[in-house]
Amino acid sequence: MTERIFVFVDEEELYSMMKDLDCLYCRNPVTASKHHLKKKHLRFAIYYKDSGIGKFSIPCYCADGGHGRSHWHCPMCTKILQRTKDYKIHITNHGVEMTDQSTVELQPSTVLLETLQTDTDDRTTGNKSSCMKCGVHFTTTSNLRRHERLQHCQDQQPMLCVDAKNGIYVTPKDTHGPRVPVHIQKSFSLQILLCELEECWDFMKAQAQRGNPGRECRHLIRTNLARPYTPPPPLCVHSLEDMTCKHLLSTPHTQQCQEIHSRAGLDGVDCVYPIFWGGHELSERCMYFSVYTGLKDKWCQFGRTRVTFDTRSGIWKCLCDFGRSRCVHKCLSMWWLFQERPELLGNALETSADDVGELEEEEEEEEVEEDDGVQLCPEEGDIC
């Protein structure tokens, strides 16, 4: 029986290996014709360079993957991975360089053209979007973006600079699902190159052990396409006073906001930086804020934390891990939103004077009990 291999340098190597025998990469018996290989395997191939040589891997549908699902066999070790994204990360950790199809160009075949039915009517009606590289058509733009990301390595994720002085950026953590931002710091003047995710630490540590100490994680790489720093609308004291007069913030919270805001000004950075991803067609149900803390901890490694506001439910969340139901970081974000986008707050602003009075009484009691002063941060997930 022909031995299965999972990496090829060109299509002919794949064709000649099976010569119209049963496909070695499918669970059920099927003739490994060129038609089948192009439609089922080559269409989703992943391309990379190993020691400067262009190669590609194809997805497998054998019984090893379970339930007939597509999966990937690593050609460098025995590991099997179910998701394309995980496979790319895995083989990158083996030291290969991801590429597009430039080294092993796979031209659109007759099979693909027949399968995907690319005709002029689809273009004129606007019901399909086409890939600029290979011409494949998709019914939705989200499917097109996924195809471009997986097949052509086009990671077009936004990257915003929130602190030009210290070289701090925010970018989506993942390429799918909610675009939750993560902080990274890349400053050549400060000689800092860090991402706040542990998985990225492990990746860069592994690369350093392999002799690539300058290798960056996928988030740090995006700084090459970062937008120029644009300062957000600054916080104004009169709007904070207006919130206090309307009983939207208690007096202790107002004082805490003023203190943090002043400290940020002395450090020469923005106290609150709202994160709008712009024209990337990302969901705006949740708003995110990069908020100055002036601290260095696991939840704010670069002196900033992330605050999330759900515009539908009115729920606020912060990364800090203390026990208050309303932390200063949420209050600072609410201050910015009250000043610039009050229509998004909705029911979150419906706080009565009695509620504020009760909050102030509770805070005064807690201040008496605590020897170390007032804690400024809450437990993640509490409702503001």
Side-chain angles (χ1 to χ4, degrees), residues 116-187:
L116 298 169
Q117 293 295 315
T118 57
D119 55 50
T120 308
D121 293 337
D122 291 329
R123 298 180 183 178
T124 56
T125 57
N127 291 330
K128 293 189 177 183
S129 302
S130 60
C131 175
M132 298 298 293
K133 282 202 169 186
C134 61
V136 175
H137 285 247
F138 298 88
T139 56
T140 64
T141 55
S142 60
N143 288 339
L144 171 62
R145 289 197 301 270
R146 182 175 183 273
H147 164 83
E148 290 175 339
R149 184 178 72 250
L150 298 180
Q151 301 302 317
H152 303 301
C153 301
Q154 292 184 0
D155 186 6
Q156 299 178 348
Q157 298 300 311
M159 169 70 75
L160 305 177
C161 179
V162 298
D163 182 350
K165 177 182 177 182
N166 299 301
I168 300 176
Y169 301 79
V170 289
T171 190
K173 176 182 177 181
D174 299 308
T175 56
H176 59 278
R179 263 46 175 191
V180 179
V182 294
H183 286 94
I184 66 169
Q185 187 171 14
K186 188 175 184 179
S187 173

Side-chain angles (χ1 to χ4, degrees), residues 6-212:
F6 300 100
V7 59
F8 308 90
V9 295
D10 56 40
E11 293 181 27
E12 292 304 322
E13 182 181 4
L14 174 62
Y15 298 150
S16 61
M17 185 181 72
M18 286 183 276
K19 298 179 180 178
D20 287 341
L21 300 174
D22 284 347
C23 181
L24 302 176
Y25 306 97
C26 287
R27 186 186 186 95
N28 300 319
V30 58
T31 302
S33 62
K34 289 187 177 182
H35 179 117
H36 167 79
L37 294 173
K38 287 183 177 180
K39 180 179 178 181
K40 194 75 172 179
H41 302 284
L42 284 170
R43 177 182 172 188
F44 305 104
I46 291 178
Y47 296 83
Y48 51 89
K49 283 186 178 181
D50 186 5
S51 300
I53 301 175
K55 299 180 180 181
F56 67 89
S57 296
I58 59 174
C60 190
Y61 299 85
C62 69
D64 296 341
H67 307 290
R69 293 187 57 184
S70 63
H71 55 275
W72 300 87
H73 295 258
C74 177
M76 278 76 83
C77 65
T78 59
K79 192 165 185 177
I80 298 175
L81 300 104
Q82 299 290 344
R83 296 184 176 274
T84 303
K85 174 185 173 183
D86 295 338
Y87 177 68
K88 285 187 173 183
I89 295 174
H90 176 78
I91 61 174
T92 300
N93 290 338
H94 279 295
V96 305
E97 177 186 356
M98 302 304 300
T99 66
D100 55 18
Q101 298 182 14
S102 59
T103 54
V104 192
E105 186 66 30
L106 178 62
Q107 298 295 335
S109 64
T110 305
V111 175
L112 284 178
L113 295 177
E114 292 176 352
T115 304
L116 298 169
Q117 293 295 315
T118 57
D119 55 50
T120 308
D121 293 337
D122 291 329
R123 298 180 183 178
T124 56
T125 57
N127 291 330
K128 293 189 177 183
S129 302
S130 60
C131 175
M132 298 298 293
K133 282 202 169 186
C134 61
V136 175
H137 285 247
F138 298 88
T139 56
T140 64
T141 55
S142 60
N143 288 339
L144 171 62
R145 289 197 301 270
R146 182 175 183 273
H147 164 83
E148 290 175 339
R149 184 178 72 250
L150 298 180
Q151 301 302 317
H152 303 301
C153 301
Q154 292 184 0
D155 186 6
Q156 299 178 348
Q157 298 300 311
M159 169 70 75
L160 305 177
C161 179
V162 298
D163 182 350
K165 177 182 177 182
N166 299 301
I168 300 176
Y169 301 79
V170 289
T171 190
K173 176 182 177 181
D174 299 308
T175 56
H176 59 278
R179 263 46 175 191
V180 179
V182 294
H183 286 94
I184 66 169
Q185 187 171 14
K186 188 175 184 179
S187 173
F188 295 108
S189 60
L190 300 176
Q191 296 185 346
I192 296 177
L193 195 70
L194 290 173
C195 178
E196 66 180 1
L197 298 180
E198 291 186 11
E199 63 189 63
C200 293
W201 301 350
D202 295 339
F203 168 78
M204 290 189 287
K205 183 179 179 180
Q207 291 299 315
Q209 293 173 347
R210 293 185 176 91
N212 300 314

